[in-house]
Amino acid sequence: MTKQLANVPPMGWNSWNTFYNHINDELIRSTADAMVEKGFLEAGYEYLIIDDCWSLRERDENGNLVPDPEKFPYGMKAVADYVHEKGLKFGMYSCCGVRTCGDYPGSFEHEFQDAALFASWGVDYLKYDNCHRPNSQTSEMLYRRMSMALRSTGRDILFAACQWGTENVQQWIRSTGAHTFRSTIDVQDSWNSIEMIARSRIDDPYPTGNGCFNDMDMLVVGMNGQGLNPETSILGGISGCTAEEYQTHFVLWAMLNSPLIIGCDIRNVSEEAKNLLTNKDIIALNQDTECRSCYKLTSYANPDIFVLVKPLSNNDYGIGFFNFSDTAFHVPLYFWDIGMTVSEGSTLELYDCLDHKWIGKKKEKYIPLVPSHGCKVFRGTVKVR
Ligand code: GAL
Protein backbone atom coordinates (compact mmCIF):
# COMPACT_ATOMS: atom_id res chain seq x y z
CA MET A 1 0.00 0.00 0.00
CA THR A 2 1.63 3.24 -1.09
CA LYS A 3 0.92 6.49 0.70
CA GLN A 4 -0.95 9.42 -0.78
CA LEU A 5 1.49 11.94 -2.21
CA ALA A 6 1.18 15.70 -2.69
CA ASN A 7 -1.26 16.41 0.12
CA VAL A 8 0.13 19.94 -0.13
CA PRO A 9 2.17 21.47 -3.00
CA PRO A 10 5.59 19.80 -3.30
CA MET A 11 8.67 21.89 -2.46
CA GLY A 12 12.23 21.40 -3.67
CA TRP A 13 15.03 22.43 -6.02
CA ASN A 14 15.49 21.67 -9.73
CA SER A 15 18.65 21.95 -11.84
CA TRP A 16 17.15 23.28 -15.07
CA ASN A 17 16.71 27.04 -14.69
CA THR A 18 20.26 27.75 -13.66
CA PHE A 19 22.34 24.79 -14.79
CA TYR A 20 20.68 23.62 -18.01
CA ASN A 21 22.93 20.76 -19.32
CA HIS A 22 25.84 21.65 -16.98
CA ILE A 23 24.87 19.06 -14.39
CA ASN A 24 27.06 16.51 -12.64
CA ASP A 25 27.59 14.46 -9.51
CA GLU A 26 29.52 17.20 -7.72
CA LEU A 27 26.83 19.82 -8.39
CA ILE A 28 24.09 17.56 -7.06
CA ARG A 29 26.01 16.57 -3.93
CA SER A 30 27.03 20.15 -3.12
CA THR A 31 23.46 21.33 -3.71
CA ALA A 32 22.19 18.63 -1.34
CA ASP A 33 24.68 19.89 1.26
CA ALA A 34 23.51 23.47 0.76
CA MET A 35 19.83 22.52 1.01
CA VAL A 36 20.49 21.18 4.48
CA GLU A 37 23.15 23.63 5.72
CA LYS A 38 21.34 26.77 4.61
CA GLY A 39 18.00 25.74 6.13
CA PHE A 40 16.08 24.99 2.94
CA LEU A 41 15.18 21.44 3.97
CA GLU A 42 14.02 22.68 7.34
CA ALA A 43 11.84 25.28 5.58
CA GLY A 44 10.14 22.46 3.63
CA TYR A 45 12.18 22.11 0.42
CA GLU A 46 12.59 18.33 0.42
CA TYR A 47 12.89 17.23 -3.24
CA LEU A 48 16.21 17.61 -5.09
CA ILE A 49 15.40 17.14 -8.78
CA ILE A 50 17.78 16.53 -11.69
CA ASP A 51 16.20 17.84 -14.90
CA ASP A 52 17.00 17.02 -18.55
CA CYS A 53 20.45 16.12 -20.02
CA TRP A 54 21.56 13.54 -17.42
CA SER A 55 21.75 10.44 -19.67
CA LEU A 56 23.76 9.24 -22.61
CA ARG A 57 22.29 10.04 -26.02
CA GLU A 58 21.27 6.39 -26.55
CA ARG A 59 19.98 3.51 -24.43
CA ASP A 60 22.21 0.47 -23.77
CA GLU A 61 21.83 -2.92 -25.50
CA ASN A 62 19.14 -3.92 -22.98
CA GLY A 63 17.13 -0.82 -23.68
CA ASN A 64 18.03 0.86 -20.38
CA LEU A 65 18.70 4.55 -19.90
CA VAL A 66 22.33 5.16 -18.95
CA PRO A 67 23.51 8.07 -16.80
CA ASP A 68 26.27 9.94 -18.65
CA PRO A 69 29.46 8.55 -17.02
CA GLU A 70 31.29 11.84 -17.52
CA LYS A 71 28.63 13.71 -15.58
CA PHE A 72 27.76 10.96 -13.11
CA PRO A 73 30.83 8.68 -12.81
CA TYR A 74 29.43 6.75 -9.82
CA GLY A 75 26.01 6.13 -11.42
CA MET A 76 22.64 7.46 -10.29
CA LYS A 77 22.00 5.13 -7.35
CA ALA A 78 25.08 6.61 -5.62
CA VAL A 79 23.68 10.12 -6.17
CA ALA A 80 20.28 9.07 -4.83
CA ASP A 81 21.89 7.46 -1.79
CA TYR A 82 23.82 10.65 -1.01
CA VAL A 83 20.67 12.76 -1.35
CA HIS A 84 18.73 10.38 0.90
CA GLU A 85 21.47 10.38 3.52
CA LYS A 86 21.00 14.12 3.77
CA GLY A 87 17.33 13.58 4.61
CA LEU A 88 16.18 14.80 1.19
CA LYS A 89 14.10 13.09 -1.50
CA PHE A 90 15.45 12.47 -5.00
CA GLY A 91 13.80 13.55 -8.23
CA MET A 92 14.60 12.83 -11.87
CA TYR A 93 13.35 13.75 -15.32
CA SER A 94 12.11 11.96 -18.41
CA CYS A 95 9.73 12.65 -21.27
CA CYS A 96 6.62 11.00 -22.73
CA GLY A 97 7.99 11.35 -26.29
CA VAL A 98 10.67 9.42 -28.17
CA ARG A 99 13.28 12.02 -27.19
CA THR A 100 13.45 14.53 -24.34
CA CYS A 101 13.31 18.25 -25.07
CA GLY A 102 17.13 18.27 -24.91
CA ASP A 103 17.30 15.38 -27.41
CA TYR A 104 18.13 12.51 -25.05
CA PRO A 105 16.13 9.25 -25.11
CA GLY A 106 12.50 9.70 -23.96
CA SER A 107 10.41 7.05 -22.19
CA PHE A 108 7.91 6.42 -25.03
CA GLU A 109 7.39 2.64 -25.35
CA HIS A 110 9.83 2.14 -22.45
CA GLU A 111 7.58 3.41 -19.66
CA PHE A 112 7.48 0.32 -17.44
CA GLN A 113 11.19 -0.41 -17.94
CA ASP A 114 12.17 3.17 -17.08
CA ALA A 115 9.83 3.35 -14.08
CA ALA A 116 11.39 0.15 -12.70
CA LEU A 117 14.89 1.56 -13.27
CA PHE A 118 14.02 4.82 -11.52
CA ALA A 119 12.51 2.90 -8.61
CA SER A 120 15.66 0.73 -8.35
CA TRP A 121 17.78 3.88 -8.05
CA GLY A 122 15.53 5.23 -5.28
CA VAL A 123 13.76 7.95 -7.23
CA ASP A 124 10.96 9.70 -5.27
CA TYR A 125 9.76 12.21 -7.90
CA LEU A 126 9.59 12.10 -11.68
CA LYS A 127 9.22 15.23 -13.82
CA TYR A 128 7.74 14.01 -17.11
CA ASP A 129 7.98 16.27 -20.15
CA ASN A 130 5.98 16.50 -23.36
CA CYS A 131 8.49 16.87 -26.26
CA HIS A 132 8.88 14.68 -29.38
CA ARG A 133 5.56 12.89 -28.92
CA PRO A 134 4.28 11.01 -31.99
CA ASN A 135 1.25 12.81 -33.42
CA SER A 136 -0.89 9.71 -33.01
CA GLN A 137 -0.37 9.68 -29.23
CA THR A 138 -2.26 12.00 -26.88
CA SER A 139 -0.43 13.27 -23.85
CA GLU A 140 -3.49 12.22 -21.80
CA MET A 141 -2.87 8.59 -22.75
CA LEU A 142 0.87 8.78 -22.22
CA TYR A 143 0.55 10.45 -18.80
CA ARG A 144 -1.94 7.76 -17.79
CA ARG A 145 0.55 5.15 -18.92
CA MET A 146 3.54 6.52 -17.01
CA SER A 147 1.38 7.03 -13.95
CA MET A 148 0.44 3.35 -14.12
CA ALA A 149 4.09 2.36 -14.64
CA LEU A 150 5.22 4.38 -11.61
CA ARG A 151 2.44 2.99 -9.42
CA SER A 152 3.28 -0.55 -10.52
CA THR A 153 6.80 -0.20 -9.06
CA GLY A 154 5.33 -0.17 -5.55
CA ARG A 155 7.52 2.82 -4.67
CA ASP A 156 6.05 6.19 -3.68
CA ILE A 157 7.06 8.31 -6.69
CA LEU A 158 5.50 11.74 -7.05
CA PHE A 159 4.49 12.17 -10.69
CA ALA A 160 5.03 15.72 -11.99
CA ALA A 161 3.49 16.06 -15.44
CA CYS A 162 5.24 18.81 -17.43
CA GLN A 163 2.45 19.37 -19.92
CA TRP A 164 2.68 23.17 -20.52
CA GLY A 165 -1.10 23.70 -20.40
CA THR A 166 -2.03 22.34 -23.83
CA GLU A 167 -4.88 19.99 -24.89
CA ASN A 168 -7.14 21.25 -22.06
CA VAL A 169 -4.86 19.53 -19.56
CA GLN A 170 -6.81 20.96 -16.63
CA GLN A 171 -9.86 18.89 -17.58
CA TRP A 172 -8.22 15.47 -17.52
CA ILE A 173 -4.88 15.57 -15.73
CA ARG A 174 -6.20 14.65 -12.28
CA SER A 175 -7.68 11.45 -13.66
CA THR A 176 -4.28 10.33 -15.02
CA GLY A 177 -2.92 10.03 -11.49
CA ALA A 178 -0.41 12.90 -11.88
CA HIS A 179 0.33 14.86 -8.70
CA THR A 180 1.25 18.16 -10.36
CA PHE A 181 0.80 19.53 -13.86
CA ARG A 182 2.66 22.35 -15.58
CA SER A 183 0.06 24.68 -17.04
CA THR A 184 2.24 27.27 -18.77
CA ILE A 185 5.27 27.62 -20.96
CA ASP A 186 8.70 27.84 -19.31
CA VAL A 187 9.33 30.63 -16.83
CA GLN A 188 12.19 33.01 -17.54
CA ASP A 189 14.23 35.15 -15.19
CA SER A 190 12.32 38.33 -16.05
CA TRP A 191 9.33 40.29 -14.76
CA ASN A 192 7.55 39.94 -18.13
CA SER A 193 7.62 36.17 -17.84
CA ILE A 194 6.45 36.16 -14.22
CA GLU A 195 3.64 38.59 -15.00
CA MET A 196 2.50 36.60 -18.03
CA ILE A 197 2.38 33.29 -16.15
CA ALA A 198 0.71 34.84 -13.11
CA ARG A 199 -1.96 36.62 -15.13
CA SER A 200 -2.77 33.47 -17.10
CA ARG A 201 -3.55 31.46 -13.96
CA ILE A 202 -5.23 34.31 -12.06
CA ASP A 203 -7.53 35.22 -14.92
CA ASP A 204 -8.17 31.62 -15.95
CA PRO A 205 -7.76 29.57 -12.77
CA TYR A 206 -7.14 25.87 -13.22
CA PRO A 207 -8.30 23.28 -10.72
CA THR A 208 -5.60 22.82 -8.09
CA GLY A 209 -5.71 21.07 -4.76
CA ASN A 210 -4.85 18.13 -2.60
CA GLY A 211 -3.36 15.32 -4.72
CA CYS A 212 -2.98 17.28 -7.99
CA PHE A 213 -1.57 20.80 -8.09
CA ASN A 214 -1.35 23.34 -10.88
CA ASP A 215 2.39 23.94 -11.45
CA MET A 216 3.32 27.44 -12.65
CA ASP A 217 6.96 26.33 -13.22
CA MET A 218 10.05 26.78 -11.12
CA LEU A 219 10.93 29.83 -9.05
CA VAL A 220 13.46 32.25 -10.55
CA VAL A 221 14.01 34.00 -7.19
CA GLY A 222 17.71 34.57 -6.60
CA MET A 223 18.85 33.88 -10.16
CA ASN A 224 19.72 37.53 -10.84
CA GLY A 225 20.41 36.78 -14.48
CA GLN A 226 23.15 34.28 -13.58
CA GLY A 227 21.67 31.10 -15.09
CA LEU A 228 23.56 29.01 -17.65
CA ASN A 229 20.34 28.18 -19.46
CA PRO A 230 20.26 30.47 -22.51
CA GLU A 231 16.50 30.74 -22.17
CA THR A 232 16.58 31.96 -18.58
CA SER A 233 19.92 33.71 -18.30
CA ILE A 234 21.65 36.93 -19.16
CA LEU A 235 23.24 35.12 -22.11
CA GLY A 236 19.78 35.02 -23.61
CA GLY A 237 19.19 38.67 -22.84
CA ILE A 238 17.39 38.16 -19.54
CA SER A 239 18.80 40.38 -16.84
CA GLY A 240 16.85 39.09 -13.86
CA CYS A 241 14.34 40.89 -11.64
CA THR A 242 14.36 43.45 -8.85
CA ALA A 243 14.07 42.32 -5.23
CA GLU A 244 10.50 43.62 -5.24
CA GLU A 245 9.65 41.56 -8.32
CA TYR A 246 11.16 38.35 -6.95
CA GLN A 247 9.13 38.88 -3.78
CA THR A 248 5.90 39.31 -5.74
CA HIS A 249 6.73 36.20 -7.78
CA PHE A 250 7.24 34.10 -4.64
CA VAL A 251 4.08 35.37 -2.95
CA LEU A 252 1.99 34.72 -6.07
CA TRP A 253 3.28 31.16 -6.54
CA ALA A 254 2.64 30.50 -2.85
CA MET A 255 -0.89 31.89 -2.82
CA LEU A 256 -1.88 30.17 -6.06
CA ASN A 257 -0.90 26.73 -4.64
CA SER A 258 1.91 26.19 -7.14
CA PRO A 259 4.67 23.76 -6.19
CA LEU A 260 7.60 25.78 -4.81
CA ILE A 261 10.62 24.47 -6.70
CA ILE A 262 13.72 26.67 -6.39
CA GLY A 263 15.69 27.25 -9.60
CA CYS A 264 18.66 29.36 -8.45
CA ASP A 265 22.13 28.17 -7.39
CA ILE A 266 21.42 27.78 -3.69
CA ARG A 267 25.09 27.09 -2.94
CA ASN A 268 25.74 30.77 -3.69
CA VAL A 269 22.34 32.21 -2.80
CA SER A 270 22.22 35.77 -1.46
CA GLU A 271 20.93 36.36 2.08
CA GLU A 272 18.07 38.36 0.61
CA ALA A 273 16.91 35.52 -1.66
CA LYS A 274 17.40 32.92 1.07
CA ASN A 275 15.32 34.93 3.53
CA LEU A 276 12.54 35.27 1.00
CA LEU A 277 12.56 31.61 -0.05
CA THR A 278 12.51 30.43 3.58
CA ASN A 279 9.88 32.94 4.77
CA LYS A 280 7.77 30.63 6.91
CA ASP A 281 4.72 32.89 6.92
CA ILE A 282 4.53 32.90 3.12
CA ILE A 283 5.28 29.17 2.91
CA ALA A 284 2.46 28.54 5.39
CA LEU A 285 -0.01 30.10 2.92
CA ASN A 286 1.17 27.62 0.26
CA GLN A 287 1.33 24.57 2.53
CA ASP A 288 -2.07 25.16 4.15
CA THR A 289 -3.72 21.76 4.38
CA GLU A 290 -7.08 22.81 2.89
CA CYS A 291 -5.29 23.85 -0.34
CA ARG A 292 -8.05 26.27 -1.35
CA SER A 293 -7.82 28.40 -4.45
CA CYS A 294 -7.76 32.20 -4.30
CA TYR A 295 -10.42 34.52 -5.58
CA LYS A 296 -9.57 37.85 -7.15
CA LEU A 297 -10.98 41.30 -6.37
CA THR A 298 -10.30 44.14 -8.79
CA SER A 299 -10.73 47.87 -8.37
CA TYR A 300 -11.42 50.74 -10.70
CA ALA A 301 -11.64 48.14 -13.50
CA ASN A 302 -7.84 48.41 -13.52
CA PRO A 303 -6.42 44.97 -14.36
CA ASP A 304 -3.02 45.91 -12.88
CA ILE A 305 -4.34 46.42 -9.35
CA PHE A 306 -5.94 43.52 -7.52
CA VAL A 307 -6.33 41.60 -4.30
CA LEU A 308 -6.16 37.80 -3.96
CA VAL A 309 -7.97 36.12 -1.08
CA LYS A 310 -7.30 32.53 -0.01
CA PRO A 311 -9.38 30.86 2.72
CA LEU A 312 -7.12 28.96 5.14
CA SER A 313 -7.78 25.92 7.25
CA ASN A 314 -7.90 27.66 10.66
CA ASN A 315 -10.54 30.20 9.58
CA ASP A 316 -7.88 32.77 8.70
CA TYR A 317 -7.50 34.24 5.21
CA GLY A 318 -4.39 34.83 3.13
CA ILE A 319 -4.81 38.32 1.62
CA GLY A 320 -2.39 39.63 -1.01
CA PHE A 321 -2.45 43.17 -2.46
CA PHE A 322 -0.75 43.33 -5.86
CA ASN A 323 0.32 46.14 -8.18
CA PHE A 324 1.45 45.15 -11.68
CA SER A 325 1.47 48.77 -12.88
CA ASP A 326 4.57 50.93 -13.37
CA THR A 327 3.85 53.35 -10.51
CA ALA A 328 3.05 52.95 -6.81
CA PHE A 329 -0.67 52.55 -6.13
CA HIS A 330 -3.07 52.43 -3.19
CA VAL A 331 -4.71 49.02 -3.58
CA PRO A 332 -8.07 48.89 -1.76
CA LEU A 333 -9.81 46.07 0.04
CA TYR A 334 -13.36 46.80 1.20
CA PHE A 335 -14.25 44.19 3.80
CA TRP A 336 -17.74 43.66 2.40
CA ASP A 337 -16.04 42.10 -0.61
CA ILE A 338 -14.65 39.19 1.40
CA GLY A 339 -18.02 38.45 3.01
CA MET A 340 -17.88 40.57 6.17
CA THR A 341 -20.65 42.67 7.56
CA VAL A 342 -19.45 45.93 9.03
CA SER A 343 -22.46 47.37 10.89
CA GLU A 344 -22.33 44.33 13.21
CA GLY A 345 -18.93 45.51 14.46
CA SER A 346 -16.68 42.87 12.87
CA THR A 347 -13.01 43.64 12.38
CA LEU A 348 -10.17 42.14 10.41
CA GLU A 349 -6.94 41.62 12.35
CA LEU A 350 -3.96 41.61 9.99
CA TYR A 351 -0.56 39.94 10.35
CA ASP A 352 2.06 41.13 7.85
CA CYS A 353 3.72 38.02 6.38
CA LEU A 354 6.65 39.95 4.89
CA ASP A 355 7.44 42.10 7.97
CA HIS A 356 6.39 39.34 10.41
CA LYS A 357 4.24 41.50 12.67
CA TRP A 358 0.62 42.15 13.58
CA ILE A 359 -0.57 45.50 12.31
CA GLY A 360 -3.79 45.59 14.31
CA LYS A 361 -7.54 45.38 13.84
CA LYS A 362 -8.97 47.16 10.82
CA LYS A 363 -12.56 48.25 10.23
CA GLU A 364 -14.41 48.50 6.90
CA LYS A 365 -11.38 48.73 4.63
CA TYR A 366 -7.64 48.53 4.27
CA ILE A 367 -5.82 50.38 1.49
CA PRO A 368 -2.04 49.88 1.58
CA LEU A 369 0.34 51.69 -0.73
CA VAL A 370 1.90 49.01 -2.94
CA PRO A 371 5.05 49.76 -4.96
CA SER A 372 5.24 49.11 -8.69
CA HIS A 373 5.46 45.35 -9.39
CA GLY A 374 5.22 44.84 -5.64
CA CYS A 375 2.86 43.31 -3.14
CA LYS A 376 1.74 43.34 0.49
CA VAL A 377 0.56 40.09 1.99
CA PHE A 378 -1.25 39.39 5.22
CA ARG A 379 -2.82 36.64 7.23
CA GLY A 380 -6.24 38.01 8.23
CA THR A 381 -8.38 36.88 11.16
CA VAL A 382 -12.02 37.94 11.20
CA LYS A 383 -13.16 39.01 14.68
CA VAL A 384 -16.93 38.95 15.08
CA ARG A 385 -18.19 41.11 17.95
C1 GAL B 1 10.92 21.91 -21.13
C2 GAL B 1 10.39 22.07 -19.71
C3 GAL B 1 11.51 22.67 -18.87
C4 GAL B 1 12.71 21.77 -18.90
C5 GAL B 1 13.14 21.50 -20.35
C6 GAL B 1 14.23 20.46 -20.43
O1 GAL B 1 9.93 21.33 -21.91
O2 GAL B 1 9.25 22.87 -19.72
O3 GAL B 1 11.06 22.87 -17.55
O4 GAL B 1 12.43 20.57 -18.24
O5 GAL B 1 12.05 21.05 -21.13
O6 GAL B 1 14.64 20.24 -21.76
Side-chain angles (χ1 to χ4, degrees), residues 14 16-17 51-53 93 100-102 127 129-131 162 164 182 184-186 217-218:
N14 175 298
W16 182 252
N17 277 3
D51 208 280
D52 201 356
C53 311
Y93 165 100
T100 71
C101 303
K127 174 172 173 177
D129 221 330
N130 195 29
C131 281
C162 181
W164 317 317
R182 274 275 303 281
T184 66
I185 58 167
D186 291 12
D217 204 4
M218 276 91 77

